[in-house]
Amino acid sequence: MKKRKLKLRTKLVMVLLVLGLLWIANLFIDERQQITQAESGLFSENAILVDLNSGKVLLDKQSEMEIYPASLTKMMTAIVAIENLPDLEQRITIPDDIFDKIRAENASVAGFVSQEQVTVRDLLYGNTLPSGADASISLAIAVSGSENGFVKLMNDKAKQLGMNDTHFMNATGLQDKEHFSTAKDLSKLLRYALQDETFYKVFTAKRYTTSATNVHPYGITFNSSMFEKLPATTIEGGMILGGKTGYTDKAGLCLASLAEKDGKQYIFITTGAPGDHNTEQFNMTDAIAVYNQIF
């Protein structure tokens, strides 16, 4: 009788143990399903959310996959130019020979013209807010004498920042199969660049009017391509402070943004969202959704 009771108790313990293990396993399965659902809820193919202060990664979706960075490239153009052109009031003459390439590629422009004399500061805003290729290439030539020479500095900086899966071929982000990066590498770039006061001011500007030039006596007014199309700047507990958009047919809609929530700042990089300039801006839809979910 005692042996039978012992066997029953042993069986009961085994059953409870199995049920407990199944329950624990189910918790892990549920957690993984939640992560998968969260990732699949993003329109963007690649994404990374980073705590700006600590560098801690809070969300990662294929952030190490090779991608085309499109005009997110211009974040590197800006910081390399800032570090090599310390006098922001220095006047740069817009070169004659840059516009054929720009027109051939149908690249976005800030609105400068050949032989216009523009300050470095104005070129930085023209490079970033309207994503002007005329400003990007002019900065490159001002620093290095040629765009190719400037690209070498861009790649040197990428190496310095540990952007090991990045290679630049131009200062604009125009499509080239050898011009690539990853969302993770771009987050390293942005986190570094935001430490610079000038870059921070440019990156977070909504609107900017250039100084008077020999061509535009009243300057040119730029609007941020992100803030122009962003449905809302407010998020739960904070706001989106700044950003840089990007798009090519192969890169999809891209966005690098900065937000503050509950006293902390975050950067969010996305690439490969569907759509184009004329559709819903799914890169921005993703940013708002993710920033709202931070807690």
Side-chain angles (χ1 to χ4, degrees):
M1 188 71 177
K2 288 183 179 180
K3 287 184 179 180
R4 183 180 294 177
K5 286 184 179 180
L6 183 59
K7 286 181 180 180
L8 286 172
R9 287 177 183 174
T10 303
K11 287 181 179 179
L12 181 60
V13 169
M14 291 297 292
V15 168
L16 291 173
L17 181 61
V18 170
L19 289 173
L21 290 172
L22 287 172
W23 180 76
I24 293 171
N26 191 55
L27 285 179
F28 283 104
I29 291 170
D30 287 345
E31 182 182 356
R32 181 59 207 156
Q33 285 175 341
Q34 289 172 2
I35 293 170
T36 302
Q37 288 167 357
E39 290 179 349
S40 65
L42 292 177
F43 292 104
S44 302
E45 292 183 5
N46 318 93
I48 187 167
L49 175 69
V50 179
D51 183 306
L52 182 62
N53 183 50
S54 69
K56 182 180 179 181
V57 176
L58 305 175
L59 179 151
D60 187 308
K61 179 184 178 184
Q62 300 187 109
S63 72
E64 297 184 22
M65 188 176 91
E66 184 179 297
I67 53 92
Y68 294 121
S71 286
L72 300 191
T73 298
K74 292 176 179 129
M75 297 190 297
M76 179 64 88
T77 304
I79 192 61
V80 171
I82 289 168
E83 292 179 347
N84 286 275
L85 296 169
D87 182 3
L88 299 181
E89 300 309 315
Q90 177 187 344
R91 291 272 172 175
I92 305 296
T93 300
I94 305 297
D96 293 316
D97 57 358
I98 67 173
F99 291 98
D100 287 344
K101 176 184 177 182
I102 290 172
R103 282 190 289 266
E105 297 285 352
N106 195 30
S108 56
V109 294
F112 299 118
V113 300
S114 173
Q115 294 302 302
E116 186 169 5
Q117 295 173 0
V118 185
T119 67
V120 170
R121 187 190 309 277
D122 293 344
L123 288 173
L124 289 169
Y125 280 94
N127 167 78
T128 307
L129 271 62
S131 204
D134 48 350
S136 309
I137 299 173
S138 295
L139 284 168
I141 293 172
V143 170
S144 300
S146 70
E147 187 175 6
N148 287 338
F150 186 79
V151 168
K152 183 181 184 303
L153 296 182
M154 293 171 69
N155 285 318
D156 288 346
K157 177 60 72 173
K159 185 176 181 180
Q160 176 190 330
L161 296 178
M163 299 170 64
N164 298 323
D165 297 307
T166 294
H167 184 260
F168 297 112
M169 290 294 290
N170 56 64
T172 59
L174 290 174
Q175 187 62 41
D176 188 303
K177 66 180 180 180
E178 296 300 321
H179 188 102
F180 54 82
S181 188
T182 67
K184 184 175 184 178
D185 276 3
L186 292 170
S187 73
K188 294 178 182 179
L189 167 61
L190 182 55
R191 187 166 178 247
Y192 168 80
L194 285 169
Q195 297 175 61
D196 183 273
E197 182 181 356
T198 298
F199 183 95
Y200 189 97
K201 286 181 178 178
V202 173
F203 192 79
T204 56
K206 293 182 178 180
R207 185 180 175 92
Y208 176 81
T209 300
T210 69
S211 54
T213 73
N214 56 319
V215 177
H216 293 98
Y218 301 104
I220 307 173
T221 297
F222 305 136
N223 293 301
S224 163
S225 58
M226 183 193 76
F227 283 116
E228 273 193 322
K229 295 188 175 182
L230 192 67
T233 58
T234 56
I235 54 175
E236 293 180 18
M239 65 185 301
I240 296 175
L241 301 175
K244 178 75 193 77
T245 60
Y247 172 78
T248 66
D249 289 343
K250 293 188 177 180
L253 290 169
C254 307
L255 181 65
S257 60
L258 168 71
E260 185 170 83
K261 182 168 182 175
D262 298 325
K264 298 182 70 175
Q265 292 190 336
Y266 304 89
I267 55 176
F268 186 48
I269 311 289
T270 57
T271 64
D276 56 38
H277 295 305
N278 299 313
T279 68
E280 178 182 341
Q281 299 302 287
F282 295 104
N283 49 350
M284 299 181 193
T285 302
D286 282 345
I288 293 170
V290 167
Y291 286 136
N292 278 331
Q293 291 171 14
I294 297 172
F295 59 88

PDB file of all heavy atoms in Angstrom, residues 221-249:
ATOM      1  N   THR A 221      15.084  80.396 -48.324  1.00  0.00           N
ATOM      2  CA  THR A 221      14.499  79.772 -47.141  1.00  0.00           C
ATOM      3  C   THR A 221      14.343  78.274 -47.371  1.00  0.00           C
ATOM      4  O   THR A 221      13.769  77.840 -48.373  1.00  0.00           O
ATOM      5  CB  THR A 221      13.131  80.388 -46.801  1.00  0.00           C
ATOM      6  OG1 THR A 221      13.325  81.762 -46.480  1.00  0.00           O
ATOM      7  CG2 THR A 221      12.498  79.681 -45.603  1.00  0.00           C
ATOM      8  N   PHE A 222      14.888  77.497 -46.439  1.00  0.00           N
ATOM      9  CA  PHE A 222      14.784  76.040 -46.492  1.00  0.00           C
ATOM     10  C   PHE A 222      13.808  75.559 -45.425  1.00  0.00           C
ATOM     11  O   PHE A 222      13.791  76.087 -44.307  1.00  0.00           O
ATOM     12  CB  PHE A 222      16.139  75.372 -46.192  1.00  0.00           C
ATOM     13  CG  PHE A 222      17.265  75.827 -47.076  1.00  0.00           C
ATOM     14  CD1 PHE A 222      18.506  76.125 -46.526  1.00  0.00           C
ATOM     15  CD2 PHE A 222      17.105  75.948 -48.443  1.00  0.00           C
ATOM     16  CE1 PHE A 222      19.566  76.531 -47.316  1.00  0.00           C
ATOM     17  CE2 PHE A 222      18.149  76.359 -49.257  1.00  0.00           C
ATOM     18  CZ  PHE A 222      19.388  76.661 -48.684  1.00  0.00           C
ATOM     19  N   ASN A 223      13.051  74.537 -45.757  1.00  0.00           N
ATOM     20  CA  ASN A 223      12.213  73.835 -44.779  1.00  0.00           C
ATOM     21  C   ASN A 223      12.704  72.399 -44.650  1.00  0.00           C
ATOM     22  O   ASN A 223      13.083  71.777 -45.645  1.00  0.00           O
ATOM     23  CB  ASN A 223      10.751  73.842 -45.219  1.00  0.00           C
ATOM     24  CG  ASN A 223      10.155  75.230 -45.200  1.00  0.00           C
ATOM     25  OD1 ASN A 223      10.122  75.886 -44.164  1.00  0.00           O
ATOM     26  ND2 ASN A 223       9.701  75.714 -46.352  1.00  0.00           N
ATOM     27  N   SER A 224      12.700  71.900 -43.454  1.00  0.00           N
ATOM     28  CA  SER A 224      13.128  70.528 -43.219  1.00  0.00           C
ATOM     29  C   SER A 224      12.216  69.558 -43.955  1.00  0.00           C
ATOM     30  O   SER A 224      10.991  69.598 -43.811  1.00  0.00           O
ATOM     31  CB  SER A 224      13.093  70.206 -41.722  1.00  0.00           C
ATOM     32  OG  SER A 224      13.118  68.808 -41.497  1.00  0.00           O
ATOM     33  N   SER A 225      12.815  68.676 -44.750  1.00  0.00           N
ATOM     34  CA  SER A 225      12.025  67.696 -45.500  1.00  0.00           C
ATOM     35  C   SER A 225      11.312  66.730 -44.573  1.00  0.00           C
ATOM     36  O   SER A 225      10.278  66.160 -44.940  1.00  0.00           O
ATOM     37  CB  SER A 225      12.920  66.922 -46.475  1.00  0.00           C
ATOM     38  OG  SER A 225      13.970  66.268 -45.783  1.00  0.00           O
ATOM     39  N   MET A 226      11.822  66.548 -43.356  1.00  0.00           N
ATOM     40  CA  MET A 226      11.127  65.694 -42.397  1.00  0.00           C
ATOM     41  C   MET A 226       9.952  66.435 -41.763  1.00  0.00           C
ATOM     42  O   MET A 226       8.818  65.950 -41.776  1.00  0.00           O
ATOM     43  CB  MET A 226      12.056  65.202 -41.285  1.00  0.00           C
ATOM     44  CG  MET A 226      11.343  64.254 -40.315  1.00  0.00           C
ATOM     45  SD  MET A 226      12.233  63.909 -38.784  1.00  0.00           S
ATOM     46  CE  MET A 226      11.946  65.435 -37.877  1.00  0.00           C
ATOM     47  N   PHE A 227      10.205  67.626 -41.227  1.00  0.00           N
ATOM     48  CA  PHE A 227       9.140  68.345 -40.530  1.00  0.00           C
ATOM     49  C   PHE A 227       8.006  68.734 -41.480  1.00  0.00           C
ATOM     50  O   PHE A 227       6.857  68.858 -41.048  1.00  0.00           O
ATOM     51  CB  PHE A 227       9.704  69.578 -39.833  1.00  0.00           C
ATOM     52  CG  PHE A 227      10.431  69.274 -38.556  1.00  0.00           C
ATOM     53  CD1 PHE A 227      11.784  69.526 -38.426  1.00  0.00           C
ATOM     54  CD2 PHE A 227       9.759  68.706 -37.480  1.00  0.00           C
ATOM     55  CE1 PHE A 227      12.460  69.244 -37.247  1.00  0.00           C
ATOM     56  CE2 PHE A 227      10.419  68.423 -36.286  1.00  0.00           C
ATOM     57  CZ  PHE A 227      11.773  68.688 -36.178  1.00  0.00           C
ATOM     58  N   GLU A 228       8.322  68.917 -42.758  1.00  0.00           N
ATOM     59  CA  GLU A 228       7.278  69.252 -43.726  1.00  0.00           C
ATOM     60  C   GLU A 228       6.230  68.149 -43.857  1.00  0.00           C
ATOM     61  O   GLU A 228       5.053  68.416 -44.077  1.00  0.00           O
ATOM     62  CB  GLU A 228       7.898  69.514 -45.102  1.00  0.00           C
ATOM     63  CG  GLU A 228       8.342  70.943 -45.310  1.00  0.00           C
ATOM     64  CD  GLU A 228       8.649  71.236 -46.766  1.00  0.00           C
ATOM     65  OE1 GLU A 228       9.203  70.362 -47.460  1.00  0.00           O
ATOM     66  OE2 GLU A 228       8.337  72.350 -47.211  1.00  0.00           O
ATOM     67  N   LYS A 229       6.678  66.889 -43.727  1.00  0.00           N
ATOM     68  CA  LYS A 229       5.770  65.768 -43.961  1.00  0.00           C
ATOM     69  C   LYS A 229       5.431  64.976 -42.703  1.00  0.00           C
ATOM     70  O   LYS A 229       4.596  64.073 -42.739  1.00  0.00           O
ATOM     71  CB  LYS A 229       6.371  64.829 -45.011  1.00  0.00           C
ATOM     72  CG  LYS A 229       6.491  65.476 -46.382  1.00  0.00           C
ATOM     73  CD  LYS A 229       6.905  64.477 -47.444  1.00  0.00           C
ATOM     74  CE  LYS A 229       6.901  65.123 -48.826  1.00  0.00           C
ATOM     75  NZ  LYS A 229       7.255  64.162 -49.894  1.00  0.00           N
ATOM     76  N   LEU A 230       6.072  65.305 -41.601  1.00  0.00           N
ATOM     77  CA  LEU A 230       5.813  64.602 -40.348  1.00  0.00           C
ATOM     78  C   LEU A 230       4.396  64.908 -39.873  1.00  0.00           C
ATOM     79  O   LEU A 230       4.046  66.072 -39.681  1.00  0.00           O
ATOM     80  CB  LEU A 230       6.830  65.037 -39.301  1.00  0.00           C
ATOM     81  CG  LEU A 230       6.907  64.224 -38.009  1.00  0.00           C
ATOM     82  CD1 LEU A 230       7.429  62.816 -38.286  1.00  0.00           C
ATOM     83  CD2 LEU A 230       7.823  64.939 -37.012  1.00  0.00           C
ATOM     84  N   PRO A 231       3.558  63.882 -39.673  1.00  0.00           N
ATOM     85  CA  PRO A 231       2.167  64.128 -39.263  1.00  0.00           C
ATOM     86  C   PRO A 231       2.049  64.890 -37.948  1.00  0.00           C
ATOM     87  O   PRO A 231       1.147  65.703 -37.769  1.00  0.00           O
ATOM     88  CB  PRO A 231       1.581  62.712 -39.137  1.00  0.00           C
ATOM     89  CG  PRO A 231       2.458  61.852 -39.970  1.00  0.00           C
ATOM     90  CD  PRO A 231       3.825  62.459 -39.879  1.00  0.00           C
ATOM     91  N   ALA A 232       2.973  64.610 -37.013  1.00  0.00           N
ATOM     92  CA  ALA A 232       2.938  65.286 -35.709  1.00  0.00           C
ATOM     93  C   ALA A 232       4.323  65.221 -35.089  1.00  0.00           C
ATOM     94  O   ALA A 232       5.037  64.226 -35.247  1.00  0.00           O
ATOM     95  CB  ALA A 232       1.921  64.629 -34.792  1.00  0.00           C
ATOM     96  N   THR A 233       4.707  66.281 -34.401  1.00  0.00           N
ATOM     97  CA  THR A 233       6.004  66.273 -33.733  1.00  0.00           C
ATOM     98  C   THR A 233       5.895  65.777 -32.293  1.00  0.00           C
ATOM     99  O   THR A 233       6.894  65.385 -31.700  1.00  0.00           O
ATOM    100  CB  THR A 233       6.615  67.693 -33.716  1.00  0.00           C
ATOM    101  OG1 THR A 233       5.713  68.583 -33.057  1.00  0.00           O
ATOM    102  CG2 THR A 233       6.874  68.180 -35.137  1.00  0.00           C
ATOM    103  N   THR A 234       4.694  65.799 -31.747  1.00  0.00           N
ATOM    104  CA  THR A 234       4.519  65.361 -30.365  1.00  0.00           C
ATOM    105  C   THR A 234       4.349  63.852 -30.295  1.00  0.00           C
ATOM    106  O   THR A 234       3.735  63.227 -31.160  1.00  0.00           O
ATOM    107  CB  THR A 234       3.294  66.028 -29.723  1.00  0.00           C
ATOM    108  OG1 THR A 234       2.133  65.751 -30.519  1.00  0.00           O
ATOM    109  CG2 THR A 234       3.484  67.522 -29.622  1.00  0.00           C
ATOM    110  N   ILE A 235       4.936  63.261 -29.279  1.00  0.00           N
ATOM    111  CA  ILE A 235       4.774  61.845 -28.964  1.00  0.00           C
ATOM    112  C   ILE A 235       4.372  61.761 -27.501  1.00  0.00           C
ATOM    113  O   ILE A 235       4.434  62.770 -26.772  1.00  0.00           O
ATOM    114  CB  ILE A 235       6.079  61.055 -29.210  1.00  0.00           C
ATOM    115  CG1 ILE A 235       7.255  61.707 -28.452  1.00  0.00           C
ATOM    116  CG2 ILE A 235       6.381  60.948 -30.694  1.00  0.00           C
ATOM    117  CD1 ILE A 235       8.551  60.941 -28.523  1.00  0.00           C
ATOM    118  N   GLU A 236       3.967  60.602 -27.057  1.00  0.00           N
ATOM    119  CA  GLU A 236       3.565  60.448 -25.661  1.00  0.00           C
ATOM    120  C   GLU A 236       4.748  60.754 -24.739  1.00  0.00           C
ATOM    121  O   GLU A 236       5.754  60.058 -24.773  1.00  0.00           O
ATOM    122  CB  GLU A 236       3.053  59.031 -25.411  1.00  0.00           C
ATOM    123  CG  GLU A 236       1.748  58.721 -26.141  1.00  0.00           C
ATOM    124  CD  GLU A 236       1.257  57.307 -25.866  1.00  0.00           C
ATOM    125  OE1 GLU A 236       1.717  56.709 -24.877  1.00  0.00           O
ATOM    126  OE2 GLU A 236       0.422  56.821 -26.646  1.00  0.00           O
ATOM    127  N   GLY A 237       4.622  61.810 -23.959  1.00  0.00           N
ATOM    128  CA  GLY A 237       5.673  62.163 -23.019  1.00  0.00           C
ATOM    129  C   GLY A 237       6.829  62.941 -23.610  1.00  0.00           C
ATOM    130  O   GLY A 237       7.851  63.126 -22.951  1.00  0.00           O
ATOM    131  N   GLY A 238       6.692  63.404 -24.858  1.00  0.00           N
ATOM    132  CA  GLY A 238       7.814  64.126 -25.440  1.00  0.00           C
ATOM    133  C   GLY A 238       7.554  64.619 -26.845  1.00  0.00           C
ATOM    134  O   GLY A 238       6.414  64.827 -27.242  1.00  0.00           O
ATOM    135  N   MET A 239       8.655  64.751 -27.617  1.00  0.00           N
ATOM    136  CA  MET A 239       8.506  65.248 -28.980  1.00  0.00           C
ATOM    137  C   MET A 239       9.687  64.813 -29.849  1.00  0.00           C
ATOM    138  O   MET A 239      10.763  64.478 -29.339  1.00  0.00           O
ATOM    139  CB  MET A 239       8.385  66.772 -28.984  1.00  0.00           C
ATOM    140  CG  MET A 239       9.610  67.510 -28.513  1.00  0.00           C
ATOM    141  SD  MET A 239       9.319  69.311 -28.418  1.00  0.00           S
ATOM    142  CE  MET A 239       8.866  69.664 -30.114  1.00  0.00           C
ATOM    143  N   ILE A 240       9.447  64.816 -31.146  1.00  0.00           N
ATOM    144  CA  ILE A 240      10.509  64.547 -32.118  1.00  0.00           C
ATOM    145  C   ILE A 240      11.249  65.855 -32.361  1.00  0.00           C
ATOM    146  O   ILE A 240      10.642  66.870 -32.708  1.00  0.00           O
ATOM    147  CB  ILE A 240       9.926  63.973 -33.418  1.00  0.00           C
ATOM    148  CG1 ILE A 240       9.272  62.605 -33.130  1.00  0.00           C
ATOM    149  CG2 ILE A 240      11.011  63.838 -34.478  1.00  0.00           C
ATOM    150  CD1 ILE A 240       8.560  61.995 -34.321  1.00  0.00           C
ATOM    151  N   LEU A 241      12.557  65.835 -32.166  1.00  0.00           N
ATOM    152  CA  LEU A 241      13.348  67.068 -32.174  1.00  0.00           C
ATOM    153  C   LEU A 241      13.959  67.385 -33.530  1.00  0.00           C
ATOM    154  O   LEU A 241      14.190  68.554 -33.848  1.00  0.00           O
ATOM    155  CB  LEU A 241      14.477  66.964 -31.143  1.00  0.00           C
ATOM    156  CG  LEU A 241      14.068  66.731 -29.695  1.00  0.00           C
ATOM    157  CD1 LEU A 241      15.304  66.541 -28.824  1.00  0.00           C
ATOM    158  CD2 LEU A 241      13.223  67.881 -29.191  1.00  0.00           C
ATOM    159  N   GLY A 242      14.262  66.362 -34.315  1.00  0.00           N
ATOM    160  CA  GLY A 242      14.927  66.614 -35.582  1.00  0.00           C
ATOM    161  C   GLY A 242      15.078  65.341 -36.380  1.00  0.00           C
ATOM    162  O   GLY A 242      14.793  64.233 -35.895  1.00  0.00           O
ATOM    163  N   GLY A 243      15.526  65.514 -37.634  1.00  0.00           N
ATOM    164  CA  GLY A 243      15.696  64.314 -38.448  1.00  0.00           C
ATOM    165  C   GLY A 243      16.210  64.610 -39.838  1.00  0.00           C
ATOM    166  O   GLY A 243      16.268  65.764 -40.278  1.00  0.00           O
ATOM    167  N   LYS A 244      16.593  63.536 -40.505  1.00  0.00           N
ATOM    168  CA  LYS A 244      17.069  63.605 -41.902  1.00  0.00           C
ATOM    169  C   LYS A 244      16.388  62.501 -42.683  1.00  0.00           C
ATOM    170  O   LYS A 244      16.427  61.335 -42.284  1.00  0.00           O
ATOM    171  CB  LYS A 244      18.593  63.414 -41.958  1.00  0.00           C
ATOM    172  CG  LYS A 244      19.163  63.423 -43.380  1.00  0.00           C
ATOM    173  CD  LYS A 244      19.194  64.820 -43.941  1.00  0.00           C
ATOM    174  CE  LYS A 244      19.451  64.817 -45.444  1.00  0.00           C
ATOM    175  NZ  LYS A 244      18.243  64.444 -46.230  1.00  0.00           N
ATOM    176  N   THR A 245      15.756  62.872 -43.780  1.00  0.00           N
ATOM    177  CA  THR A 245      15.077  61.892 -44.622  1.00  0.00           C
ATOM    178  C   THR A 245      16.013  61.394 -45.720  1.00  0.00           C
ATOM    179  O   THR A 245      17.046  62.008 -46.016  1.00  0.00           O
ATOM    180  CB  THR A 245      13.837  62.499 -45.282  1.00  0.00           C
ATOM    181  OG1 THR A 245      14.251  63.623 -46.090  1.00  0.00           O
ATOM    182  CG2 THR A 245      12.826  62.953 -44.252  1.00  0.00           C
ATOM    183  N   GLY A 246      15.612  60.303 -46.349  1.00  0.00           N
ATOM    184  CA  GLY A 246      16.332  59.790 -47.505  1.00  0.00           C
ATOM    185  C   GLY A 246      15.412  58.949 -48.356  1.00  0.00           C
ATOM    186  O   GLY A 246      14.468  58.339 -47.842  1.00  0.00           O
ATOM    187  N   TYR A 247      15.682  58.934 -49.660  1.00  0.00           N
ATOM    188  CA  TYR A 247      14.881  58.085 -50.552  1.00  0.00           C
ATOM    189  C   TYR A 247      15.588  57.891 -51.892  1.00  0.00           C
ATOM    190  O   TYR A 247      16.098  58.842 -52.482  1.00  0.00           O
ATOM    191  CB  TYR A 247      13.502  58.693 -50.830  1.00  0.00           C
ATOM    192  CG  TYR A 247      12.753  57.916 -51.899  1.00  0.00           C
ATOM    193  CD1 TYR A 247      12.125  56.710 -51.591  1.00  0.00           C
ATOM    194  CD2 TYR A 247      12.733  58.353 -53.219  1.00  0.00           C
ATOM    195  CE1 TYR A 247      11.487  55.971 -52.583  1.00  0.00           C
ATOM    196  CE2 TYR A 247      12.092  57.635 -54.211  1.00  0.00           C
ATOM    197  CZ  TYR A 247      11.470  56.440 -53.894  1.00  0.00           C
ATOM    198  OH  TYR A 247      10.851  55.702 -54.874  1.00  0.00           O
ATOM    199  N   THR A 248      15.639  56.654 -52.336  1.00  0.00           N
ATOM    200  CA  THR A 248      15.878  56.295 -53.724  1.00  0.00           C
ATOM    201  C   THR A 248      14.988  55.090 -53.997  1.00  0.00           C
ATOM    202  O   THR A 248      14.472  54.460 -53.060  1.00  0.00           O
ATOM    203  CB  THR A 248      17.342  55.925 -54.031  1.00  0.00           C
ATOM    204  OG1 THR A 248      17.679  54.710 -53.335  1.00  0.00           O
ATOM    205  CG2 THR A 248      18.318  57.030 -53.632  1.00  0.00           C
ATOM    206  N   ASP A 249      14.817  54.746 -55.257  1.00  0.00           N
ATOM    207  CA  ASP A 249      13.980  53.589 -55.590  1.00  0.00           C
ATOM    208  C   ASP A 249      14.470  52.337 -54.885  1.00  0.00           C
ATOM    209  O   ASP A 249      13.671  51.529 -54.394  1.00  0.00           O
ATOM    210  CB  ASP A 249      13.977  53.355 -57.107  1.00  0.00           C
ATOM    211  CG  ASP A 249      13.185  54.430 -57.848  1.00  0.00           C
ATOM    212  OD1 ASP A 249      12.399  55.141 -57.190  1.00  0.00           O
ATOM    213  OD2 ASP A 249      13.373  54.569 -59.063  1.00  0.00           O
TER     214      ASP A 249
END
